[in-house]
């Protein structure tokens, strides 16, 4: 997209696709504005919807969508069915930070954007499931530790020890003894 020329140029689809395109797939190009003056953009209040989109919306939105696709590829959205990546959040954050009115301000994270804070106060989101937050290594560690614990608890000697501890707790009222101990300690 050429901002200097004031018109949309054909879009190079290879910048959006990381894999080489197949010969049978035709690349689609955005139409070039036909009767557009090259020096000044049309008046946003009187121009047609198409001109408004081509001159004011697409030059801002298309680079954001390109970044969105790159980020989605980094987050492996095209490989996995479910991910923690929320495309609308990324695009909102990107557009907010690339706003020319904010060019001298520092980067703002999505949840720190004022209108996002206000919206989320009234419309809180459910928490992201732990399965989406953990990396594969962290998830495998948790699963393996659970499995090891389960296998150990199945051992007959461990079962015997656990039964003995349960019986001891019931007979000696261990919970009451521990509570009394800590009451004495706090009194000191």
């Amino acid at each position: 997209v050429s901002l200097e020329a004031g018109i949309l140029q054909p879009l190079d689809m290879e910048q959006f696709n990381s894999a080489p395109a197949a010969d049978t797939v035709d690349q689609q190009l955005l139409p070039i504005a036909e009767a557009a003056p090259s020096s000044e953009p049309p008046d946003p209040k009187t121009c047609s919807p198409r001109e408004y989109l081509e001159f004011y919306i697409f030059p801002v939105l298309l680079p954001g969508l390109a970044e969105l696709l790159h980020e989605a590829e980094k987050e492996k959205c095209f490989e996995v069915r479910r991910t923690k990546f929320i495309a609308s959040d990324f695009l909102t954050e990107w557009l907010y930070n690339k706003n020319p009115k904010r060019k001298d301000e520092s980067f703002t994270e999505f949840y720190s954007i004022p209108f996002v804070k206000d919206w989320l106060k009234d419309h809180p989101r459910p928490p992201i499931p732990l399965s989406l937050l953990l990396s594969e290594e962290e998830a495998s560690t948790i699963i393996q530790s659970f499995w090891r614990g389960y296998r150990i608890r199945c051992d007959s000697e461990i079962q015997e020890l656990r039964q003995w501890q349960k019986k001891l707790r019931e007979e000696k009222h261990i919970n009451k003894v521990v509570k009394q101990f800590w009451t004495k300690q706090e009194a000191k």
Side-chain angles (χ1 to χ4, degrees):
V1 178
S2 172
L3 294 174
E4 293 81 23
I7 60 173
L8 281 178
Q9 300 297 323
L11 186 62
D12 181 17
M13 292 302 284
E14 290 202 291
Q15 67 183 350
F16 291 109
N17 299 329
S18 61
D23 293 336
T24 58
V25 178
D26 293 331
Q27 293 183 349
Q28 296 181 358
L29 302 176
L30 291 176
I32 298 175
E34 288 137 10
S38 61
S39 61
E40 65 181 64
D43 181 25
K45 295 184 180 181
T46 60
C47 67
S48 70
R50 179 182 172 142
E51 288 177 321
Y52 188 81
L53 284 172
E54 289 176 349
F55 288 95
Y56 296 103
I57 303 295
F58 289 154
V60 175
L61 189 58
L62 290 178
L65 290 174
E67 282 296 316
L68 173 72
L69 289 173
H70 290 298
E71 189 65 26
E73 189 175 15
K74 281 184 205 170
E75 296 286 335
K76 299 181 181 174
C77 293
F78 306 121
E79 300 169 16
V80 193
R81 176 179 263 186
R82 293 176 55 215
T83 65
K84 65 180 178 179
F85 182 70
I86 302 172
S88 58
D89 290 359
F90 176 83
L91 193 57
T92 301
E93 180 182 280
W94 190 89
L95 289 170
Y96 183 79
N97 286 309
K98 298 295 181 181
N99 187 341
K101 295 177 183 175
R102 298 191 70 252
K103 67 180 174 185
D104 295 332
E105 296 180 30
S106 63
F107 178 83
T108 306
E109 290 189 13
F110 177 74
Y111 292 105
S112 301
I113 298 174
F115 66 85
V116 172
K117 281 183 183 177
D118 294 341
W119 174 261
L120 290 176
K121 270 187 222 167
D122 299 332
H123 308 89
R125 290 181 172 175
I128 297 174
L130 186 60
S131 62
L132 298 179
L133 293 176
L134 295 175
S135 68
E136 288 187 24
E137 293 81 23
E138 293 169 328
S140 63
T141 301
I142 290 172
I143 292 168
Q144 289 169 2
S145 65
F146 173 79
W147 180 249
R148 280 190 220 107
Y150 172 77
R151 295 291 297 162
I152 292 296
R153 288 188 295 274
C154 288
D155 187 8
S156 61
E157 290 181 3
I158 302 298
Q159 285 291 326
E160 185 180 327
L161 174 65
R162 294 180 75 195
Q163 291 297 326
W164 176 78
Q165 288 174 334
K166 181 179 177 184
K167 185 178 175 186
L168 185 64
R169 275 194 302 271
E170 291 170 356
E171 289 177 359
K172 302 281 185 177
H173 306 288
I174 295 295
N175 291 339
K176 188 195 279 185
V177 171
V178 169
K179 192 181 277 187
Q180 288 173 354
F181 170 77
W182 284 113
T183 306
K184 289 178 186 175
Q185 291 293 358
E186 290 173 0
K188 290 181 182 179

